[in-house]
Amino acid sequence: MAQSKKITFGLLLLLVISATTVKAENGYELWLRYNRISNTSLRLNYIRQLSSVTLIGHSPTLQAAKYELIKGLKGLTGSKIPFFKKQDNGSPGLFIATAGNLGSLKKNIPPSQLQQCGNEGYLLTTTKTGSKRIIITAQSDIGILYGVFHFLRLLQTEQSLDNLHILSVPGLKLRLLNHWDNLNRTVERGYAGFSIWNWHTLPAYIDQRYIDYARANASVGINGTVLTNVNANATVLTQPYLQKVKALAGVFRPYGIKVYLTARFSAPIESGGLKTADPLNEQVRQWWKDKAKEIYALIPDFGGFLVKANSEGQPGPQDYKRTHSDGANMLAEAVAPYKGIIIWRAFVYASENPTDRHKQAYDDFVPLDGKFSSNVMVQVKNGAIDFMPREPFHPLFGAMPKTPLMMEFQVTQEYLGQSTNLVYLAPLFKEVLDSDTRSRGKGSTVAKIIDGSLDSHTLNGMAGVANIGNDLNWCGHPFAQANWFALGRLAWNYSLSAEQIAQEWLQMTFSNDKKFLQPVLNLMLKSRENLVDYMNPLGLHHIMGTGHHYGPAPWVNDQRRPEWNPVYYHKADSTGIGFNRTATGSNALSQYHPEVRAHWEQLDNCDEKYLLWFHHVPWTHLMKNGRTLWNELCYRYYNGAAAVQKMQEAWKPLEPLIDQERFDQIRQLMAIQYQEATWWRDACLLYFQQFSKQPLPTGFEKPEHTLEYFKKLRFPYAPGN
Ligand code: GCW
């Protein structure tokens, strides 16, 4: 008797322990963890509502949907739910089929809604009559897969499944990742290890990571991936590499993801043995046509080429006195028979050109509006300089109505703390998308330019420079995963708020516990503004370390090209600081619509976020809050760094609420972030102080090191360079 009591007690203890310990996690599962739902009554309710799953059809895409459901439902509910594949057998539960296979259930769905689903959209709905059914339907298999991921997300975020009625259709057609991955597996501006593409073992070896990458992308609606760096290598266009690309395309296809490659403009010379790459040369044109034919024979749904030309040393049509449109149209002609597209980047600037770098892309591209073939898109970075922590929107948005413009955001945090800083980027993305270009009257937002609605373009899209590498947790910083997630979610639906997306991601990635969610949500939402304060307040930009872009280096003035020097951008001197881009300066402002200009043009009422972006401002200038510019600069830098300390404090008490592994990783990274924030603060203020000749406002702690100390710091092996 005593013995059996002991055993029961032991068992109980074990049960209690297993119910309360949080499982070990390394972040590999991303937001697709499918951990057991901790709210028991909710979990039991789900099990009741999902007494069976019927999934009609067996294409590879539907198989992927089924795999995800089996994995997801088992993990989330802890119960093995029976799966059926027969036409309606009447069982209550979840019923999944494309419109054509809905059978008698079709009467539950208004035909107009099915129509609206289009190629990729889906509908989640609950039947009103008969046995209770939850239906996931779409016009296409990929719509079903997207619907399944949405459905799982409802469970992961503990939503009610009663009376569902969700119709979801993507707002943008092309939702792409751009990998800046080299064939030797280094990643330009990659801070999460080496490239996930193991070119050496492809095509024979399919790493599980490729499949999990596709799952993660499909779960947020990403439907294309450019595998290679825009600083391109023609080798990827050779037959052995195309075989490898074909293998990846085969993995991604069921997940609705097309592959794209970057095309090195001089490939006909390097790889084809021709003497020229002149886009008007017949042999060159034929070479690209043959190449396209070769690629499409292997990969019939190949997306097309992304091209960086005549920028930062890359070859391009201007080498032959041709224009960007000549170059793009030649490639467009080669892929047109296969419905391929060309994405031509507008990130161009040249050292021979003395014009403010801010103006160069606009000067080059606006005259070409209307000259691009119909299967060309021009891909424009969100701002005119280069993915700075804060930039005004690129003046090309709204200025090329005859050309479909694709948005290029940077998900990898080249200038936003790389992979040691917790910075949630959705507020940055939203700020740009919501900016009003005024180009076609009030409400001509950047979002409406890129979705094609303002100018009736059918091609439209958004790309994000990926932050993915072969680190165990994919992105280096556990919170960097949120930026990949946010890019996908916004490309699908740009009207989601940064907060909604963060909340979803946190619930899926960490916990549904409100005690965790509230403080962390708060910290994520403030993180980008804090970073702006400790790195680039008030419109400062491009003052980071040379080459690797790690840490502050506003003093650098010895680079070969003027626009590679931080001093070119901040222009600090004894009279003040900032880049005069008004009519008395470079006049980059003239590239914006007069109503936009009006917010920025006058020093006295310029939106202070962009003050030093557009004006050279006296140190004694009075800010709207009454502080002098110098004092405000100090205040911002100190405030930004202090905010990181607050973040650390907010993180500390959360230890019991999540797994130890990720808690510790984040705690350590936050300590690094604090060091880096104070480094930025002290180095920048000591440097600018030489010009302002003013003391730190009273009460601010003195920097621990001298300016000389900061200037001597070297990072020869900083990543991503
Ligand atoms: O942001 C800059 C980067 C380069 C990059 C370039 C570009 C791929 O520092 O590393 O090159 O922009 O976008 O082409």
Side-chain angles (χ1 to χ4, degrees):
M1 187 63 189
Q3 183 76 9
S4 82
K5 248 192 189 160
K6 243 190 215 160
I7 292 174
T8 333
F9 178 73
L11 262 176
L12 246 166
L13 196 72
L14 204 74
L15 271 174
V16 171
I17 292 174
S18 66
T20 51
T21 5
V22 196
K23 81 169 195 201
E25 305 222 28
N26 57 26
Y28 179 83
E29 292 170 301
L30 296 160
W31 49 88
L32 302 176
R33 288 156 62 249
Y34 307 134
N35 281 18
R36 178 82 52 90
I37 292 161
S38 55
N39 176 338
T40 311
S41 66
L42 185 71
R43 185 164 60 85
L44 294 177
N45 201 25
Y46 284 154
I47 294 175
R48 206 167 323 117
Q49 286 174 295
L50 301 171
S51 52
S52 75
V53 178
T54 307
L55 193 152
I56 312 290
H58 41 252
S59 70
T61 299
L62 293 176
Q63 286 302 317
K66 183 175 173 191
Y67 165 86
E68 206 62 39
L69 271 172
I70 293 178
K71 188 177 162 74
L73 293 181
K74 184 155 174 272
L76 288 159
T77 67
S79 145
K80 199 160 182 289
I81 294 167
F83 267 72
F84 301 112
K85 42 186 169 195
K86 287 259 162 49
Q87 245 326 328
D88 195 11
N89 58 15
S91 326
L94 184 58
F95 187 91
I96 306 167
T98 49
N101 286 325
L102 278 173
S104 62
L105 286 176
K106 200 161 181 173
K107 63 177 185 300
N108 290 281
I109 297 163
S112 65
Q113 298 205 344
L114 270 176
Q115 203 88 50
Q116 278 178 53
C117 287
N119 294 335
E120 296 183 300
Y122 55 85
L123 192 67
L124 304 187
T125 187
T126 318
T127 56
K128 302 269 174 315
T129 52
S131 57
K132 270 272 181 217
R133 287 296 193 59
I134 297 167
I135 302 174
I136 305 180
T137 188
Q139 294 206 46
S140 62
D141 290 355
I142 189 63
I144 295 281
L145 180 63
Y146 290 147
V148 162
F149 276 115
H150 189 137
F151 179 76
L152 288 168
R153 188 160 72 228
L154 293 178
L155 271 67
Q156 290 175 281
T157 55
E158 305 193 346
Q159 308 293 307
S160 159
L161 299 182
D162 298 334
N163 307 316
L164 288 180
H165 195 83
I166 301 168
L167 171 67
S168 186
V169 180
L172 297 172
K173 264 199 195 122
L174 301 176
R175 307 177 296 278
L176 308 191
L177 286 182
N178 288 182
H179 288 264
W180 286 356
D181 292 19
N182 299 313
L183 299 182
N184 65 6
R185 295 194 77 177
T186 56
V187 180
E188 184 154 350
R189 311 310 175 187
Y191 310 101
F194 285 90
S195 170
I196 54 170
W197 318 132
N198 188 340
W199 295 106
H200 187 67
T201 54
L202 279 165
Y205 183 73
I206 298 300
D207 193 322
Q208 176 63 32
R209 239 185 218 266
Y210 306 151
I211 301 163
D212 293 330
Y213 166 86
R215 289 175 50 231
N217 279 329
S219 77
V220 291
I222 288 169
N223 67 358
T225 177
V226 183
L227 301 174
T228 46
N229 191 353
V230 288
N231 289 331
N233 182 335
T235 306
V236 78
L237 302 177
T238 60
Q239 183 62 213
Y241 276 84
L242 291 175
Q243 292 291 347
K244 298 168 195 278
V245 174
K246 176 187 173 176
L248 288 174
V251 175
F252 302 157
R253 189 168 294 115
Y255 295 89
I257 300 166
K258 283 188 181 180
V259 298
Y260 298 71
L261 291 173
T262 46
R264 183 158 167 89
F265 202 77
S266 52
I269 303 175
E270 289 150 23
S271 169
L274 300 186
K275 294 232 152 45
T276 174
D278 181 348
L280 299 191
N281 176 293
E282 259 326 303
Q283 276 180 303
V284 171
R285 299 176 80 85
Q286 193 57 45
W287 188 86
W288 283 109
K289 283 181 192 158
D290 294 344
K291 190 47 75 182
K293 193 171 174 195
E294 184 186 348
I295 295 175
Y296 281 94
L298 295 171
I299 310 163
D301 54 357
F302 178 69
F305 293 122
L306 169 66
V307 189
K308 170 176 178 179
N310 293 119
S311 172
E312 300 186 328
Q314 292 299 304
Q318 292 176 342
D319 302 347
Y320 307 94
K321 310 245 172 319
R322 313 294 184 199
T323 65
H324 284 289
S325 51
D326 292 331
N329 294 348
M330 168 195 61
L331 293 173
E333 190 186 28
V335 298
Y338 318 96
K339 300 201 163 41
I341 63 163
I342 300 304
I343 306 172
W344 194 268
R345 291 177 90 227
F347 178 71
V348 297
Y349 64 97
S351 51
E352 322 71 75
N353 188 344
T355 318
D356 177 4
R357 172 173 163 189
H358 195 297
K359 297 173 71 178
Q360 296 186 27
Y362 182 103
D363 289 347
D364 264 14
F365 278 84
V366 169
L368 301 178
D369 191 27
K371 300 217 165 99
F372 290 97
S373 300
S374 60
N375 58 335
V376 175
M377 298 187 75
V378 170
Q379 181 164 299
V380 183
K381 286 190 184 183
N382 59 269
I385 297 295
D386 195 3
F387 300 136
M388 294 292 112
R390 168 166 278 130
E391 293 197 37
F393 69 86
H394 202 303
L396 275 176
F397 292 114
M400 294 186 68
K402 296 190 192 118
T403 313
L405 299 186
M406 175 117 164
M407 171 60 76
E408 180 174 320
F409 283 128
Q410 195 179 41
V411 184
T412 190
Q413 294 165 235
E414 176 177 2
Y415 303 105
L416 286 101
Q418 306 190 347
S419 63
T420 49
N421 288 211
L422 187 164
V423 183
Y424 174 52
L425 297 178
L428 184 163
F429 301 157
K430 290 287 291 185
E431 182 175 285
V432 177
L433 292 167
D434 293 344
S435 296
D436 194 346
T437 68
R438 299 290 177 115
S439 53
R440 243 73 80 236
K442 208 166 185 285
S444 309
T445 58
V446 171
K448 287 192 187 157
I449 309 264
I450 64 157
D451 76 4
S453 60
L454 271 190
D455 304 303
S456 318
H457 293 301
T458 44
L459 269 181
N460 56 59
M462 182 191 292
V465 179
N467 61 351
I468 298 162
N470 70 351
D471 271 9
L472 207 49
N473 70 7
W474 301 83
C475 303
H477 198 301
F479 274 79
Q481 296 176 356
N483 297 330
W484 174 8
F485 182 87
L487 190 276
R489 298 288 288 128
L490 282 174
W492 184 278
N493 179 2
Y494 58 70
S495 57
L496 291 172
S497 72
E499 180 171 358
Q500 269 169 286
I501 297 171
Q503 160 120 12
E504 251 179 23
W505 177 80
L506 281 171
Q507 289 176 285
M508 295 164 85
T509 309
F510 285 103
S511 164
N512 276 286
D513 188 338
K514 288 203 176 60
K515 292 202 289 295
F516 176 81
L517 287 176
Q518 254 323 312
V520 184
L521 193 59
N522 185 29
L523 153 177
M524 280 176 85
L525 291 172
K526 287 186 182 151
S527 58
R528 183 268 187 145
E529 206 60 48
N530 293 342
L531 173 127
V532 168
D533 277 351
Y534 65 75
M535 281 191 184
N536 287 187
L538 302 174
L540 283 174
H541 52 287
H542 215 287
I543 54 174
M544 67 290 158
T546 297
H548 49 59
H549 298 173
Y550 175 61
W555 46 83
V556 170
N557 62 2
D558 60 356
Q559 295 298 294
R560 181 166 54 84
R561 296 171 59 152
E563 75 288 349
W564 282 353
N565 290 293
V567 297
Y568 171 95
Y569 297 95
H570 63 68
K571 300 199 183 320
D573 58 22
S574 60
T575 65
I577 179 172
F579 199 132
N580 180 0
R581 294 192 164 109
T582 69
T584 60
S586 81
N587 209 15
L589 264 170
S590 64
Q591 297 180 333
Y592 290 97
H593 190 276
E595 282 162 38
V596 175
R597 225 148 65 201
H599 295 288
W600 300 332
E601 208 157 31
Q602 302 304 325
L603 175 58
D604 287 326
N605 67 3
C606 176
D607 181 346
E608 290 181 348
K609 290 201 289 285
Y610 301 121
L611 187 64
L612 307 180
W613 190 280
F614 290 119
H615 298 273
H616 190 72
V617 185
W619 295 109
T620 50
H621 167 82
L622 285 188
M623 304 292 293
K624 287 176 187 147
N625 61 17
R627 291 193 191 106
T628 64
L629 170 66
W630 167 251
N631 280 356
E632 180 68 5
L633 211 55
C634 296
Y635 175 82
R636 295 283 177 142
Y637 271 111
Y638 273 82
N639 216 34
V644 179
Q645 221 163 13
K646 287 199 193 111
M647 197 154 92
Q648 290 177 285
E649 280 154 25
W651 188 250
K652 229 185 270 165
L654 307 178
E655 184 161 7
L657 303 178
I658 61 163
D659 55 288
Q660 197 65 45
E661 290 79 1
R662 290 183 301 168
F663 177 83
D664 284 336
Q665 285 172 0
I666 292 159
R667 183 181 47 76
Q668 296 174 69
L669 287 165
M670 282 181 176
I672 298 179
Q673 184 170 358
Y674 181 62
Q675 277 173 4
E676 292 177 348
T678 52
W679 168 29
W680 269 92
R681 176 192 76 191
D682 294 347
C684 291
L685 287 176
L686 284 171
Y687 171 76
F688 293 135
Q689 196 172 32
Q690 303 177 105
F691 304 99
S692 82
K693 301 208 172 8
Q694 294 185 41
L696 290 179
T698 40
F700 286 3
E701 66 180 290
K702 278 225 162 61
E704 206 182 312
H705 301 285
T706 62
L707 180 58
E708 286 318 303
Y709 166 87
F710 291 121
K711 282 184 169 178
K712 283 201 184 110
L713 293 175
R714 291 290 176 275
F715 306 93
Y717 304 113
N721 192 10

